[in-house]
Amino acid sequence: MKETFSIVDGNSLIHRAFHALPILNTTSGVYTNAVHGFFGMLFKVMKEERPGYCAVAFDEHGPTFRHTVYPEYKAGRQETPPELRPQFPLIRELLKAMHIGVYSLEGYEADDLLGTFSKKADAQGLRALLLTGDRDALQL
């Protein structure tokens, strides 16, 4: 059986976790519901799949090449809730402390990186396991 490379769409899982769990915060007021949900999903996959490699891809704030082609791209998308915003850097910091690769690239979205990583994994003889809630990834 091929060794597995787990490739995570960080933004997708964080948003999913944030909306799935009630607002939680520490006694000092730090919001943590997305943190708890994200790592709960990640640890479940790690336990069940036992990947040899893992990377988490994130969207960069700002326009992508898609905005150049189609200016209305994501025009109707709602703002990120203020309770969610501070959880992104906290999750990135925890991932780095766990020695899990954190990747992003200006002008591209996380799902672009998922596609690139999955193609490279296949070329290296690895099984690519994509962890995302984004239906665009079904084509990958």
Side-chain angles (χ1 to χ4, degrees):
M1 183 175 204
K2 290 181 176 182
E3 194 164 20
T4 300
F5 180 14
S6 179
I7 311 161
V8 182
D9 183 337
N11 289 72
S12 173
L13 259 63
I14 290 170
H15 278 276
R16 181 169 289 235
F18 177 80
H19 292 289
L21 297 175
I23 297 293
L24 301 170
N25 55 359
T26 65
T27 56
S28 60
V30 177
Y31 293 103
T32 59
N33 58 315
V35 176
H36 284 282
F38 176 86
F39 283 103
M41 288 184 274
L42 182 64
F43 293 156
K44 183 175 194 274
V45 167
M46 295 294 201
K47 182 179 178 183
E48 292 176 2
E49 299 292 333
R50 302 219 178 264
Y53 308 94
C54 182
V56 181
F58 287 95
D59 298 341
E60 283 289 320
H61 186 70
T64 68
F65 69 90
R66 291 174 182 84
H67 292 94
T68 305
V69 175
Y70 182 62
E72 289 83 29
Y73 180 68
K74 293 191 178 182
R77 183 151 297 186
Q78 293 181 345
E79 284 271 327
T80 301
E83 299 86 3
L84 176 56
R85 268 191 218 107
Q87 295 185 66
F88 281 93
L90 183 54
I91 290 169
R92 283 180 182 235
E93 183 181 329
L94 290 170
L95 288 166
K96 288 178 183 177
M98 295 168 62
H99 302 285
I100 294 176
V102 174
Y103 300 90
S104 63
L105 186 60
E106 191 175 319
Y108 294 89
E109 294 180 354
D111 54 352
D112 298 316
L113 299 178
L114 264 66
T116 300
F117 284 146
S118 64
K119 190 168 178 90
K120 296 226 179 248
D122 186 55
Q124 295 293 318
L126 299 171
R127 172 181 167 246
L129 176 65
L130 304 182
L131 185 57
T132 182
D134 190 340
R135 292 178 192 220
D136 290 346
L138 291 174
Q139 63 189 317
L140 301 174

